[in-house]
Amino acid sequence: QSALTQPASVSGSPGQSITISCTGTSSDVGGYKYVSWYQQHPGKAPKLMIYEVSNRPSGVPDRFSGSKSGNTASLTISGLQAEDEADYYCSSYTSSIFVVFGGGTKLTVL
Amino acid sequence: QLQMQESGSGLVKPSQTLSLTCAVSGGSISSTAYSWSWIRQPPGKGLEWIGYLYYGGSTYYNPSLKSRVTISVDRSKNQFSLNLSSMTAADTAVYYCARGGVTKPFEYWGQGTLVTVSS
């Protein structure tokens, strides 16, 4: 099972918006609504930020939003803040009832 | 609030078997509709799903690890375990337990435990 494809890095200035893409296939991202996004700060466990493509768990700021088009899911962070600097991972349910993660994207807040 | 805590051997010799346990508190591991997963992250690299235990008792493993992995549950202790055999240096990673898998997101995570494979 190949990992989902994410850009290695993205950057933005405080207050700006950035988007991280996550590309898979019709057997994973494109075929199901079960796409999630996780934020990971150095030395910490990942934190769920988005589930089922566009839903935010309680406590996650509405600056974080998710969407999907075809085989590509996206995480958008608006009003970028210094504390958003972290690694971000997408994941998807697959047709083989497995779970696949993206390779991760390092977000730098300039 | 659900809490999860990994424990087990932090240093494993090559060819030996890794054994880790995840203790769950603040909720029952027998709750329906939830799965319980193991996920790992090699130093400086991304996340890799290892496998999960479905609440009904079924297990599903990453095909790349399937021949070496066993996930089991001890409902009396509200915990689940990971055994990974024939360990090599490539298995050096932080190992996380998490609630989620199948169609459920990984909503709760343990803090992670570093496992190093070295003689």
Side-chain angles (χ1 to χ4, degrees):
Chain A
Q1 198 77 17
S2 300
L4 306 176
T5 300
Q6 297 181 233
S9 63
V10 298
S11 62
S13 299
Q16 288 186 331
S17 294
I18 64 95
T19 297
I20 299 172
S21 62
C22 171
T23 301
T25 69
S26 58
S27 296
D28 40 63
V29 174
Y32 305 95
K33 67 176 183 177
Y34 304 111
V35 176
S36 301
W37 289 92
Y38 301 87
Q39 176 192 66
Q40 186 179 35
H41 287 110
K44 299 295 187 182
K47 174 187 177 182
L48 177 66
M49 304 301 284
I50 297 286
Y51 67 97
E52 292 183 5
V53 176
S54 59
N55 294 304
R56 277 188 313 276
S58 174
V60 173
D62 60 6
R63 303 185 294 103
F64 291 83
S65 62
S67 63
K68 189 181 80 166
S69 177
N71 296 336
T72 298
S74 299
L75 172 71
T76 298
I77 308 174
S78 58
L80 208 55
Q81 298 182 4
E83 67 219 47
D84 299 333
E85 183 164 296
D87 293 327
Y88 291 84
Y89 294 90
C90 62
S91 76
S92 175
Y93 174 78
T94 78
S95 59
S96 306
I97 57 173
F98 300 136
V99 174
V100 62
F101 284 99
T105 298
K106 181 177 181 60
L107 169 60
T108 300
V109 180
L110 302 171
Chain B
Q1 177 80 351
L2 193 79
Q3 292 186 318
M4 307 178 72
Q5 178 69 56
E6 305 90 349
S7 63
S9 46
L11 180 63
V12 178
K13 289 181 168 54
S15 80
Q16 290 190 338
T17 296
L18 168 68
S19 294
L20 295 176
T21 295
C22 180
V24 178
S25 59
S28 173
I29 201 168
S30 297
S31 296
T32 59
Y34 288 119
S35 295
W36 305 89
S37 293
W38 287 98
I39 297 160
R40 70 180 183 179
Q41 184 172 35
K45 296 187 178 181
L47 300 167
E48 180 182 31
W49 170 72
I50 298 171
Y52 56 70
L53 174 74
Y54 201 38
Y55 76 94
S58 302
T59 52
Y60 301 91
Y61 303 131
N62 187 321
S64 67
L65 299 169
K66 185 176 181 179
S67 63
R68 300 194 290 132
V69 175
T70 302
I71 296 176
S72 59
V73 63
D74 186 335
R75 300 187 190 279
S76 67
K77 294 183 178 179
N78 214 40
Q79 64 186 34
F80 63 108
S81 300
L82 168 70
N83 277 9
L84 183 61
S85 63
S86 304
M87 294 281 282
T88 71
D91 295 313
T92 292
V94 174
Y95 285 74
Y96 295 101
C97 59
R99 191 184 82 176
V102 195
T103 59
K104 301 291 187 182
F106 300 112
E107 185 176 9
Y108 295 97
W109 296 68
Q111 65 184 29
T113 186
L114 175 63
V115 175
T116 302
V117 181
S118 175
S119 56

